[in-house]
Amino acid sequence: MIGVELVKDRGTKEPAKAECARILELAREMSLLLGKGGLWGQTIRIKPPFCLTLADAEFLLEVLDAAFAKV
């Protein structure tokens, strides 16, 4: 599993809970299911299968790039 913790400010490390939820929703709308974790729900959990293909990884990155660009 890979965790990507989102914060509003790198200095204060304030959790970006709403932004994380929005990214997960946008990813779901683009057919990518991700998990949420962290004490405040600020961490994106990526759990790829063992049979991950290059095409799967590229799709994941394209969707995340698009979702982050919208948030």
Side-chain angles (χ1 to χ4, degrees):
M1 181 172 15
I2 301 166
V4 180
E5 183 178 11
L6 304 180
V7 295
K8 292 183 180 185
D9 181 275
R10 289 182 183 186
T12 65
K13 300 200 187 309
E14 179 184 354
K17 181 178 179 177
E19 292 83 351
C20 183
R22 182 68 180 136
I23 288 170
L24 293 177
E25 180 64 23
L26 289 167
R28 187 190 62 76
E29 290 172 2
M30 292 182 266
S31 302
L32 178 65
L33 297 177
L34 300 165
K36 179 173 64 172
L39 189 58
W40 297 280
Q42 81 286 12
T43 303
I44 297 172
R45 289 183 176 169
I46 304 168
K47 299 172 263 183
F50 285 122
C51 59
L52 182 73
T53 65
L54 180 58
D56 293 335
E58 288 172 346
F59 175 73
L60 167 75
L61 293 175
E62 288 171 9
V63 169
L64 283 178
D65 185 48
F68 273 98
K70 291 181 180 180
V71 174

